[in-house]
Amino acid sequence: MIEQQLRTPFTDLVGVRHPVVQTGMGWVSGPRLVSGTANAGGLGILASATMSYEELESAIVEVKSRTDQPFGVNLRADAGDAPQRVELLIEHGVKVASFALQPKPELVKRLKDHGIVVMPSIGAAKHAVKVAGWGADAVMVQGGEGGGHTGPVPTTLLLPSVLDALQGIGSDMPVVAAGGFFDGRGLAAALTYGASAVGMGTRFLLTADSAVPDAVKQLYLERGLTDTVVTAKVDGMPHRMLRTDLVEQVEESSRWKRLGPTTKRTLEFKKDSGMSWVEIAKDGRAMKKASGRTLGQMALAANTPTMLKAGLVDGDTDAGVLASGQVVGLIDDLPTCEELIDRVVTGAVAELRRGASYVV
């Protein structure tokens, strides 16, 4: 395990040794992966969107039993029980609260009042300016190369636009760059742009500490740079995943052919989550208000948890989907979190020194 070699505003803010973040991936970012990342000196983030309240509390307790280092929890800002989950983070002294959508100002204030770092994920410069005005401590910027829900703008364009926008309002908020990162060269590039850390999802999914079934990991390792696809037909929003037979079938099917499977998966999600129909409807209304989804898109959204669980937990790629960043085509091994972070950081230091040698 290497000592700290890079000190950035993000490492100072969060209290980690290395400017590397393991993102909160549903069904993937559990206690083993998060604690492995934390013990290696990075920031591990629990994915709570696929956990019940009780499961989240159990996961937090387990992470704390495995590490004494800082870690975070990713929350759904539009979830009906988001305020209760915020209180859970406060109770257990979690260091970072990250959000996939913009959190409400009152949630930001509540977390900050208790010393918890607030880090929303954003996909546009204007969103960074907005959350900065609400008091967020950092932002994660994911470009279109990233896995899961993603936008059309690549990291190399989105990142500088966000940095410039924040500079324009006089904000020195640390920015975490995500989407397309997997090695030391990427970390060096992100730091050179002006980011304070990188976030990696697919790269951490493909580690020895990830609980994803080995056969599924092998499927990822066999894929190339053109073997992902962005589709809105799984859950109504652009979603990058591996190109599989199931995804091809979904892409080619009509809305009416998808109606039966969608209804079935909605029932499965209700059973797995323990939510009542009233709670699901309440979450749906919040989702519609927060993201502007149509009723049809909200119905499709029920596909996501069950289809991801089938692929990433059960290993059934005939019934499930596999979220993935484009970077999957450049990954060919399964290191531990410690091995991964050590080589990313040492690689970045070497690249930064090489770049500095060009200055006259």
Side-chain angles (χ1 to χ4, degrees):
M1 184 183 301
I2 62 172
E3 296 300 316
Q4 185 173 27
Q5 298 186 30
L6 295 166
R7 181 178 177 182
T8 74
F10 182 81
T11 61
D12 286 348
L13 174 68
V14 180
V16 294
R17 292 196 307 277
H18 308 306
V20 177
V21 178
Q22 163 255 303
T23 60
M25 300 166 281
W27 303 116
V28 176
S29 301
R32 192 171 83 184
L33 183 60
V34 171
S35 59
T37 302
N39 286 327
L43 179 71
I45 298 180
L46 274 172
S48 77
T50 51
M51 298 179 185
S52 66
Y53 179 91
E54 293 74 20
E55 288 170 337
L56 174 57
E57 182 167 30
S58 177
I60 291 172
V61 170
E62 183 176 346
V63 173
K64 291 175 68 175
S65 74
R66 289 170 172 260
T67 184
D68 59 358
Q69 298 301 305
F71 68 96
V73 172
N74 181 258
L75 300 171
R76 258 188 57 204
D78 59 349
D81 65 350
Q84 289 72 35
R85 292 184 183 233
V86 163
E87 295 304 316
L88 191 60
L89 269 61
I90 293 171
E91 177 186 346
H92 288 279
V94 173
K95 182 64 177 181
V96 177
S98 73
F99 290 88
L101 298 171
Q102 296 174 42
K104 295 179 181 177
E106 53 266 32
L107 290 184
V108 175
K109 183 179 185 304
R110 179 66 177 165
L111 289 160
K112 286 176 63 66
D113 284 347
H114 289 270
I116 297 178
V117 173
V118 178
M119 183 174 69
S121 294
I122 54 97
K126 64 181 180 181
H127 299 151
V129 171
K130 179 183 290 187
V131 297
W134 293 347
D137 300 291
V139 289
M140 179 176 290
V141 178
Q142 178 177 302
E145 303 95 323
H149 292 115
T150 191
V153 183
T155 305
T156 51
L157 300 178
L158 181 61
L159 177 58
S161 74
V162 169
L163 291 165
D164 288 347
L166 290 174
Q167 184 178 23
I169 62 171
S171 173
D172 59 358
M173 172 191 296
V175 174
V176 179
F181 295 101
F182 72 104
D183 65 358
R185 291 171 297 182
L187 174 55
L191 296 178
T192 303
Y193 265 103
S196 292
V198 293
M200 301 189 297
T202 304
R203 177 63 277 196
F204 274 104
L205 184 156
L206 294 173
T207 60
D209 295 310
S210 164
V212 172
D214 289 342
V216 175
K217 291 180 185 177
Q218 190 58 43
L219 183 62
Y220 274 89
L221 293 177
E222 294 169 356
R223 295 309 171 105
L225 286 171
T226 60
D227 288 335
T228 65
V229 62
V230 177
T231 178
K233 290 190 174 181
V234 170
D235 66 358
M237 299 292 282
H239 198 136
R240 185 180 291 282
M241 57 192 66
L242 286 188
R243 191 185 298 275
T244 62
D245 290 342
L246 174 62
V247 171
E248 296 285 3
Q249 292 169 14
V250 170
E251 278 282 272
E252 295 172 0
S253 63
S254 69
R255 180 184 304 176
W256 296 111
K257 286 185 177 179
R258 295 197 302 272
L259 180 60
T262 296
T263 302
K264 178 182 177 183
R265 293 180 188 115
T266 301
L267 294 170
E268 291 173 356
F269 172 68
K270 179 180 181 296
K271 179 180 179 181
D272 286 345
S273 66
M275 297 171 68
S276 68
W277 287 116
V278 172
E279 290 170 325
I280 289 176
K282 184 178 179 181
D283 265 11
R285 288 195 298 271
M287 188 185 299
K288 185 177 188 298
K289 182 178 180 180
S291 60
R293 299 192 194 190
T294 66
L295 291 173
Q297 287 174 327
M298 288 189 294
L300 283 172
N303 283 351
T304 306
T306 51
M307 293 185 80
L308 287 171
K309 181 183 179 184
L312 296 170
V313 178
D314 303 331
D316 184 357
T317 57
D318 291 330
V321 297
L322 302 170
S324 176
Q326 279 185 299
V327 74
V328 68
L330 298 174
I331 298 173
D332 59 8
D333 65 348
L334 301 170
T336 64
C337 288
E338 181 179 330
E339 290 168 342
L340 172 61
I341 291 177
D342 284 1
R343 76 190 190 197
V344 167
V345 172
T346 55
V349 170
E351 291 297 327
L352 290 169
R353 286 175 175 159
R354 182 175 64 83
S357 72
Y358 297 157
V359 180
V360 296

